[in-house]
Amino acid sequence: MTKERQLRKQEEIRSIILGAARDIIEKEGIKGLSIRKITNAIEYSPAIIYHYFKDKNEIIETIVEEGYIRILNSLTVVERNEKQPEKEIKEVFSNYIKAALDNRDEYMTVMLNDDPILKQRTTILKKGISKSSKTMALLSETIKRGVEQGRFSECDVELTAQVMWTSAFGLIMKLMIEKDIAEDQINALIETHFKTLFSGIMIRKEEL
Amino acid sequence: MTKERQLRKQEEIRSIILGAARDIIEKEGIKGLSIRKITNAIEYSPAIIYHYFKDKNEIIETIVEEGYIRILNSLTVVERNEKQPEKEIKEVFSNYIKAALDNRDEYMTVMLNDDPILKQRTTILKKGISKSSKTMALLSETIKRGVEQGRFSECDVELTAQVMWTSAFGLIMKLMIEKDIAEDQINALIETHFKTLFSGIMIRKEEL
DNA sequence: CATATTATTAAACACTGTTTAATAATAGAA
DNA sequence: TTCTATTATTAAACAGTGTTTAATAATATG
């Protein structure tokens, strides 16, 4: 057997393990995943896992990273809207929010697990930070454009961009907690959220 | 021994168990809590727990509820600010956010644990929903007042109130994730967040 | 064919939460 | 006080968890 074929065989079993793990996570969530459940499903002994993975965390990390990358990939450049830059911004967030909702477990794990798993997942986090900061820069630019063309009021663009992120994060969390929301309802919530966010409620801004 | 004294004795041991549990949670987080850690600390056998509590969840629920109530208690009526209702709103949120940050574990558990623990914690959730909806009503009223006095622009007050909550939730989560932030920095972030939220960025609102 | 490498597992270890049945301690009644 | 009934406490086990060790089976390479 050639070395390559051997490596392919190894990769195959690795992906069989990951496949079983994905199935379990889909049905029972990340917390429902256990080494013995995986090995029962693939009819191997529990110890086999440690021949293909360092530990259980490596399995979870791998799967979480896949989902997180799907989310990051949603952060693509959207069609430029010269007249209504706010539509551009809303579309970027809308894509991101939907991708996050499609990968709940993974998003939650990346975002708020400070426990065993994500201590040294620097790789995945770096990717996230890199992509997010690029998106943030793009967002700032769009806001700046809006200000320059007199459509947006004068503001600290970086700060405004950050508040938008924070606020969108809250919306994502809210939508994730209240599960079983219909697609069109999600769209409506995103719509009104950003509408309110853009418009603000103050009339005399100079007083703030 | 009178029946009362007996009950007092029981309550005493219950609170000793809870005290030990609190210590462990403070040091190692809720996930670090274990029955055997508790019973080692109080020098009892593991089985004793089940004489004073239904199960481990009841202990966690009790402690989480304590913290959550502290957060809910922060939702008190603030001094009315007739001229600047936005200051009133910001103060309400500011209190709430700080209370949430002071009770991280509890807040996180109540908010985003759909797993074993919070399935039947209807009691605690009802309290939360009741208090939150009262606060929400108050918030709506304040916004309405602002609109009527011409300080805030015309808007769907309930919707605006909801967006504010969502957005504040995002801010809380952000602040919780990025731990080790100084008190004054937190204040600054709250300040700018609500400033941006109030002002919005659109100039021609009628176009939205 | 023999050897070296790799794959796989049985068994154990140290943890979890929880239950059962037995025992120790104490309360109230005679 | 003594006896009984109640309560408090525990030892031991069960069924889980992740992980490690050492032995074995399978395969590749010389």
Side-chain angles (χ1 to χ4, degrees):
Chain A
M1 203 202 296
T2 112
K3 206 124 207 171
E4 286 171 20
R5 179 164 145 63
Q6 202 175 345
L7 284 175
R8 244 187 299 139
K9 184 98 189 169
Q10 281 184 20
E11 267 310 311
E12 201 181 317
I13 294 190
R14 248 185 90 99
S15 75
I16 286 172
I17 292 173
L18 287 174
R22 271 189 222 99
D23 290 347
I24 295 164
I25 288 178
E26 193 169 351
K27 283 172 200 149
E28 312 179 39
I30 286 181
K31 282 168 195 166
L33 183 70
S34 91
I35 260 68
R36 280 171 182 81
K37 275 184 198 166
I38 297 174
T39 50
N40 280 345
I42 62 177
E43 292 180 305
Y44 273 79
S45 125
I48 197 66
I49 298 295
Y50 301 88
H51 196 259
Y52 293 94
F53 294 90
K54 188 183 148 239
D55 54 19
K56 191 189 167 188
N57 283 344
E58 195 179 306
I59 297 177
I60 294 178
E61 269 181 58
T62 308
I63 293 172
V64 165
E65 181 157 359
E66 289 169 3
Y68 190 52
I69 285 175
R70 281 193 292 273
I71 297 172
L72 291 179
N73 284 342
S74 78
L75 289 174
T76 51
V77 181
V78 300
E79 206 187 330
R80 209 166 154 128
N81 193 322
E82 294 293 349
K83 291 185 180 171
Q84 296 170 305
E86 74 275 9
K87 292 241 162 106
E88 207 178 308
I89 293 170
K90 201 201 73 187
E91 199 184 337
V92 171
F93 277 110
S94 187
N95 291 340
Y96 179 73
I97 292 171
K98 281 170 188 169
L101 289 174
D102 284 337
N103 300 273
R104 252 174 237 254
D105 265 17
E106 293 88 340
Y107 189 74
M108 286 281 207
T109 307
V110 172
M111 285 305 160
L112 14 114
N113 226 342
D114 47 6
D115 273 4
I117 304 160
L118 320 169
K119 280 296 172 193
Q120 269 162 329
R121 91 251 102 123
T122 42
T123 321
I124 178 172
L125 266 200
K126 272 185 188 165
K127 276 184 192 164
I129 289 170
S130 165
K131 191 100 184 195
S132 307
S133 57
K134 275 181 198 164
T135 311
M136 191 71 105
L138 227 66
L139 178 59
S140 292
E141 266 184 55
T142 310
I143 295 174
K144 200 179 157 200
R145 219 170 69 220
V147 174
E148 280 166 357
Q149 73 185 71
R151 186 163 178 84
F152 295 166
S153 50
E154 289 288 338
C155 65
D156 184 325
V157 290
E158 263 82 24
L159 221 67
T160 307
Q162 269 183 38
V163 171
M164 279 191 181
W165 260 115
T166 305
S167 164
F169 183 48
L171 181 56
I172 291 171
M173 286 296 155
K174 185 187 167 184
L175 292 174
M176 284 196 175
I177 290 167
E178 302 174 21
K179 49 200 160 200
D180 301 327
I181 316 181
E183 173 84 16
D184 53 352
Q185 210 174 344
I186 289 173
N187 281 327
L189 283 167
I190 295 175
E191 186 71 36
T192 58
H193 187 87
F194 281 95
K195 210 173 190 172
T196 309
L197 211 61
F198 283 129
S199 67
I201 59 171
M202 290 295 290
I203 285 178
R204 304 212 204 142
K205 288 177 190 182
E206 64 281 1
E207 277 187 38
L208 275 171
Chain B
M1 204 201 298
T2 109
K3 205 125 206 171
E4 288 171 21
R5 179 163 145 61
Q6 201 174 344
L7 284 175
R8 245 187 299 139
K9 184 97 188 169
Q10 281 184 19
E11 267 309 311
E12 201 181 315
I13 294 191
R14 249 185 89 99
S15 75
I16 287 172
I17 293 172
L18 287 173
R22 271 189 220 98
D23 290 347
I24 295 164
I25 288 177
E26 193 168 352
K27 284 172 200 149
E28 312 179 39
I30 286 181
K31 283 168 196 166
L33 183 70
S34 89
I35 260 66
R36 279 169 182 83
K37 275 184 198 166
I38 296 173
T39 50
N40 280 346
I42 63 178
E43 291 180 306
Y44 273 80
S45 126
I48 197 67
I49 297 296
Y50 301 88
H51 197 260
Y52 294 95
F53 295 90
K54 186 184 149 239
D55 54 19
K56 191 190 167 188
N57 284 345
E58 195 179 306
I59 298 178
I60 294 178
E61 269 180 57
T62 309
I63 293 174
V64 164
E65 180 157 2
E66 289 170 2
Y68 190 53
I69 285 175
R70 281 193 293 272
I71 296 172
L72 290 179
N73 285 342
S74 78
L75 288 174
T76 52
V77 182
V78 301
E79 206 187 330
R80 209 168 155 127
N81 192 323
E82 295 293 349
K83 291 185 181 172
Q84 297 170 303
E86 74 276 10
K87 292 240 162 106
E88 208 178 308
I89 294 169
K90 202 201 73 188
E91 200 183 337
V92 171
F93 278 110
S94 186
N95 290 340
Y96 180 73
I97 292 170
K98 280 171 189 169
L101 290 175
D102 284 339
N103 300 272
R104 252 174 236 253
D105 265 18
E106 294 88 340
Y107 189 74
M108 286 281 208
T109 307
V110 171
M111 285 304 160
L112 16 113
N113 227 341
D114 48 5
D115 273 3
I117 305 162
L118 319 169
K119 280 297 172 194
Q120 270 162 330
R121 91 252 100 124
T122 42
T123 321
I124 177 172
L125 266 199
K126 271 185 188 165
K127 275 184 193 165
I129 290 170
S130 165
K131 191 98 184 198
S132 307
S133 57
K134 275 180 198 163
T135 311
M136 191 70 107
L138 226 68
L139 178 58
S140 293
E141 266 184 55
T142 310
I143 295 174
K144 199 178 158 202
R145 219 171 68 221
V147 175
E148 280 166 357
Q149 73 185 71
R151 186 163 178 85
F152 296 165
S153 50
E154 290 288 338
C155 64
D156 184 326
V157 290
E158 264 83 23
L159 222 67
T160 307
Q162 268 184 39
V163 171
M164 278 190 183
W165 260 116
T166 304
S167 163
F169 183 48
L171 180 56
I172 291 172
M173 286 297 157
K174 185 187 167 185
L175 292 173
M176 283 195 176
I177 291 167
E178 303 173 20
K179 50 201 159 198
D180 303 326
I181 316 182
E183 174 85 16
D184 53 350
Q185 209 175 344
I186 289 173
N187 281 327
L189 283 167
I190 295 175
E191 185 71 36
T192 58
H193 187 87
F194 282 95
K195 210 173 189 173
T196 309
L197 211 61
F198 284 128
S199 68
I201 60 171
M202 291 294 291
I203 286 178
R204 304 211 205 140
K205 288 175 189 179
E206 63 281 1
E207 279 186 37
L208 274 173

